[in-house]
Amino acid sequence: MQITFLGTSSGVPTRSRNVSSVALRLPQRAEMWLFDCGEGTQHQIIRSELKISQLSRIFITHMHGDHVFGLMGLLATCGLAGNVDRIDVYGPPGLNEYLQAASRYSHTHFSYPLKVHVVRPGIIYEDDEFTVSCGPLQHRITAFGYRVVEKDRSGRFDIEKAKALQIPPGRIYGQLKRGETVTLNDGRVIDGTQLCGPTEIGRKIAYCTDTVFCDGAVELAQDADVLIHEATFAHQDADMAFQRLHSTTTMAAQTALGAGAHRLIMTHFSPRYAPGNSVELKDLLQQARAIFPKTDMAYDFFTYEVPRRREVLTN
């Protein structure tokens, strides 16, 4: 599970930061999922090591322009040169009407299956490996945050131990790897859990933007390995944050702390904190780390590999 930030500015792009979009790459499936799609997102993908052809799912938090203006262009490119098999788009009410109107007036016809899902709080997608759920955030318009949970899986299978027990390889190995109990031809009963290491806890990612501090974000981020949370404003600009229903650095840190998250990555920064101003982005990072030390500040093309918990414990 590899996270790449494609846009980390709020409202408008800057010379160094594009508007909101985060990619989640799943190499074992040759898939890429996208969270929000601000203007210029497809250009950011092209500049990165990501492949548009692997795009399969897009999750939109809300219908403000800096989160959706890049969506139609990206979907059109997928039809012309992306070679995608199918794309599912998830988002709030109005998303399907927006895409239909843009498609109609631009005379764009998609050459691949495109399905738009209007989300409601709860599980919105599930397969053998992952569950994706969403929950309400608190913003000026309807907004949702997303939570991606990798399902737990059996620990590593001890092949040498299986050979020592003279268990014949083949389909039986697969059953034992899944922790099943198998009866061999010679009558022996083998418990697969005795040949596997400890259960590997699935990784969890939460994505919360745009929102002021709210219980919904804390709930989505419970025990998350990574919480991606907006931090539009510095702590001293809290009045503006409450007026515009955005978060400060301290709100993002308090969300991570309250949720028991393992790491916080802040994004969606106001351009007002440019170098040379009285408050700079480095000050925002210090504010958050004072509350939640395991905080990072995202920048465009920053990539983070989400570690498994056994790797964290080993390190």
Side-chain angles (χ1 to χ4, degrees):
M1 299 177 73
Q2 187 183 78
I3 300 168
T4 299
F5 290 83
L6 298 171
T8 56
S9 178
S10 70
V12 296
T14 69
R15 289 194 177 197
S16 59
R17 295 178 184 270
N18 199 47
V19 284
S20 293
S21 186
V22 175
L24 174 62
R25 185 168 167 262
L26 307 171
Q28 73 275 24
R29 302 159 57 125
E31 281 189 46
M32 176 177 68
W33 296 355
L34 206 60
F35 293 83
D36 283 331
C37 190
E39 179 186 359
T41 293
Q42 66 171 314
H43 292 272
Q44 298 290 86
I45 294 175
I46 292 169
R47 294 187 185 108
S48 73
E49 296 182 357
L50 301 171
K51 297 179 180 179
I52 289 180
S53 60
Q54 294 185 346
L55 180 61
S56 60
R57 302 184 189 280
I58 304 174
F59 302 89
I60 300 297
T61 56
H62 64 295
M63 294 301 296
H64 276 157
D66 58 325
H67 294 255
V68 299
F69 280 165
L71 185 56
M72 191 62 197
L74 175 60
L75 293 175
T77 294
C78 288
L80 293 171
N83 299 318
V84 299
D85 295 324
R86 170 194 171 100
I87 295 181
D88 288 85
V89 184
Y90 305 78
L95 177 60
N96 190 40
E97 291 81 358
Y98 170 73
L99 290 175
Q100 286 182 343
S103 177
R104 181 168 64 252
Y105 289 115
S106 65
H107 301 278
T108 300
H109 304 282
F110 301 113
S111 58
Y112 56 89
L114 175 68
K115 173 71 174 177
V116 179
H117 308 261
V118 177
V119 301
R120 294 179 179 176
I123 295 175
I124 59 172
Y125 172 75
E126 184 172 12
D127 60 29
D128 293 339
E129 291 183 277
F130 295 98
T131 299
V132 182
S133 56
C134 76
L137 300 177
Q138 190 173 345
H139 194 43
R140 301 193 303 277
I141 62 174
T142 300
F144 293 97
Y146 293 97
R147 176 180 173 91
V148 180
V149 176
E150 181 184 39
K151 295 182 178 180
D152 296 346
R153 66 184 190 182
S154 299
R156 289 181 173 179
F157 182 64
D158 192 336
I159 295 179
E160 296 304 319
K161 189 174 181 179
K163 290 180 179 178
L165 292 172
Q166 297 183 337
I167 300 173
R171 183 172 58 87
I172 293 175
Y173 273 25
Q175 293 174 283
L176 294 172
K177 285 179 181 179
R178 293 190 293 271
E180 299 175 10
T181 298
V182 175
T183 301
L184 303 180
N185 292 335
D186 59 13
R188 287 184 295 157
V189 178
I190 306 296
D191 182 357
T193 60
Q194 301 301 311
L195 295 174
C196 296
T199 299
E200 293 191 350
I201 299 173
R203 292 164 287 187
K204 305 174 184 69
I205 299 172
Y207 178 73
C208 298
T209 182
D210 293 4
T211 185
V212 72
F213 180 85
C214 66
D215 292 338
V218 176
E219 184 177 343
L220 285 168
Q222 285 295 315
D223 192 38
D225 293 270
V226 183
L227 165 60
I228 301 168
H229 198 289
E230 71 128 296
T232 307
F233 294 107
H235 175 68
Q236 50 265 57
D237 293 323
D239 286 345
M240 278 193 291
F242 282 114
Q243 291 169 12
R244 303 178 188 183
L245 295 183
H246 277 293
S247 286
T248 63
T249 53
T250 49
M251 290 179 192
Q254 288 166 347
T255 301
L257 186 65
H262 296 253
R263 182 165 296 278
L264 167 65
I265 303 180
M266 299 189 300
T267 186
H268 200 269
F269 306 112
S270 170
R272 72 180 59 241
Y273 305 114
N277 291 352
S278 58
V279 180
E280 300 183 13
L281 288 176
K282 63 182 180 180
D283 301 312
L284 273 64
L285 182 59
Q286 291 176 357
Q287 291 174 358
R289 284 182 172 174
I291 296 172
F292 192 79
K294 291 185 177 180
T295 299
D296 292 315
M297 178 169 280
Y299 53 87
D300 286 21
F301 304 113
F302 169 58
T303 296
Y304 180 78
E305 187 85 34
V306 185
R308 293 192 178 277
R309 299 202 178 179
R310 59 175 166 79
E311 296 169 351
V312 173
L313 291 172
T314 300
N315 291 335

